[in-house]
Amino acid sequence: MKPFGFFHLRGIGGQIAALVLASTVALHLVVTTAFLISRPDRPDTPPDGAHQLTDAALLLGSAEQAERPRLIADLARAFPKLNIEMLAPGTASVVENNDSQHLRGIRRHLGHDYKVVQLVPEGGTHRVGVQLPDGTVIAGRVDGGSRPWFWGAPWLTTLMSAFICVTVLGLWAARALAAPLSSFARAAENFSLDGGADPLPERGPEEIRSVARALNRMHERIARLMSDRTRMLAAISHDLRTPITRLRLRAEFIEDEGNRKRMLMDLDQMRSMLESVLSLLRNDRKIEAVTLVDIASTLQLVADQFGDMGHVVHYEGPVSATAAARPDDLHRGVTNLVENAVRFGAEVTIRLDISGTKLVIDVEDDGPGISDARKQEMLEPFVRGDDARTMDDSTGFGLGLSIARAIAVAHGGELSLHDREPHGLIVRMQLPVWQEPRLAA
């Protein structure tokens, strides 16, 4: 059993609990710091100018009336920035409804016998007036003013601190939990049986790591199962060649000419089907290495081979275009496309176009085409054409397009079907240009 049960720190529950604890501690630290700075539990300490004015008011309030002019002169020399002066009765202009924090601090230090008011500024200078117990008014310059509003409102400090702590730590937690899930989604999109995809990283909370390990094991089991299936089918298809060959030899001794031809035709069809299945399985295993290939020369060679067999096949494109590919696979894929095209069209064109990072091979025919409803279905194995492109038993088994698509996907590209104007079909194989192609004039 894991320590701490559900709240084990390596699990999601434990990490959420640690996150809540860290948020609480951070919040208390911020609030405590704000409290120590603002200290709402003790009287406000007035700024320097207010200190001087408070001391001067206490001194003048306890002095005799006759001594005050001399004391004011001494205070003016001692505190030149205070600009202390005695105001004549009725000359003080008071700012109404002003009860700033530093005025409250001065009042607390002087007591109830002194009246503190904010005077109208003169020349941009903030002045505070203090009425002594006998009614005399003195005025002085007080700088500083109230503390920042943020520190003056503890409840607002707490609210803002809680918001910041919870938001920052919440975003961190969301990213820490969402990143592994995003990697799961990418792994599912890039799932492949050729072993090229990297295993899922096993990091994050214990539950996320468990899911990653389970998915990696599932990927390995599926890949092993498909490999076993491929080897089994390839072995069966290969072993069937021997009895088919024996049957063909025995069929040669059939005296009835019609039966002999029909049997030989059936045997040839079975052999052709086995060759197609073996070709598909060999491509699934993807054992050929990637090398530099002159794509243009390969396409021209395919066109010439079909031309030698009496078909009208043209190549249109650059004279030379070198890129990284699997040469035998590419030749087999294009051959399948052209072989499928010459069955239904009188004239076929192989077109090569390079734009940016894409290498596009189009195989166009002037046959009846394929309906839009069946274009995607036609790319599946053992699916034959619709009524417009029906094949008999001796012409194919529905593997040509499937093999070509598997080859395109193995190269990191795709295969698609498009309509040709005014009639016919365009089979488009798009491959990435792994190396910048060289075009000849």
Side-chain angles (χ1 to χ4, degrees), residues 302-383:
V302 173
D304 294 341
Q305 289 174 342
F306 278 89
D308 294 340
M309 292 185 292
H311 302 289
V312 181
V313 180
H314 307 287
Y315 166 72
E316 295 182 4
V319 176
S320 177
T322 303
R326 298 178 177 87
D328 292 341
D329 285 351
L330 183 63
H331 186 277
R332 183 167 68 253
V334 176
T335 299
N336 287 345
L337 298 181
V338 177
E339 185 177 22
N340 188 64
V342 296
R343 289 194 184 109
F344 309 103
E347 186 173 352
V348 177
T349 301
I350 306 174
R351 198 182 311 277
L352 175 62
D353 181 54
I354 302 172
S355 58
T357 59
K358 288 288 186 181
L359 185 147
V360 181
I361 301 174
D362 285 345
V363 177
E364 305 178 4
D365 66 63
D366 55 357
I370 297 176
S371 63
D372 292 338
R374 300 206 64 194
K375 280 187 172 64
Q376 190 62 33
E377 181 185 3
M378 286 295 299
L379 298 177
E380 299 299 327
F382 302 105
V383 177

Side-chain angles (χ1 to χ4, degrees), residues 139-156:
R141 176 181 176 182
V142 177
D143 295 327
S146 60
R147 299 176 186 174
W149 64 271
F150 183 77
W151 301 114
W155 64 270
L156 187 58

Side-chain angles (χ1 to χ4, degrees), residues 267-323:
L267 292 173
D268 288 339
Q269 181 183 358
M270 292 175 62
R271 186 176 184 84
S272 178
M273 180 182 293
L274 286 177
E275 292 294 337
S276 298
V277 172
L278 286 174
S279 177
L280 178 63
L281 295 177
R282 282 196 301 267
N283 183 76
D284 281 347
R285 295 173 63 183
K286 210 175 75 171
I287 57 178
E288 188 181 7
V290 176
T291 60
L292 287 178
V293 181
D294 190 341
I295 308 296
S297 298
T298 300
L299 300 182
Q300 183 65 62
L301 175 61
V302 173
D304 294 341
Q305 289 174 342
F306 278 89
D308 294 340
M309 292 185 292
H311 302 289
V312 181
V313 180
H314 307 287
Y315 166 72
E316 295 182 4
V319 176
S320 177
T322 303

Side-chain angles (χ1 to χ4, degrees), residues 407-433:
I407 292 173
V409 172
H411 281 78
E414 60 181 4
L415 189 78
S416 56
L417 306 181
H418 306 272
D419 293 329
R420 178 180 179 272
E421 297 297 336
H423 58 82
L425 182 71
I426 300 176
V427 183
R428 178 164 297 162
M429 180 185 290
Q430 299 187 56
L431 306 177
V433 179

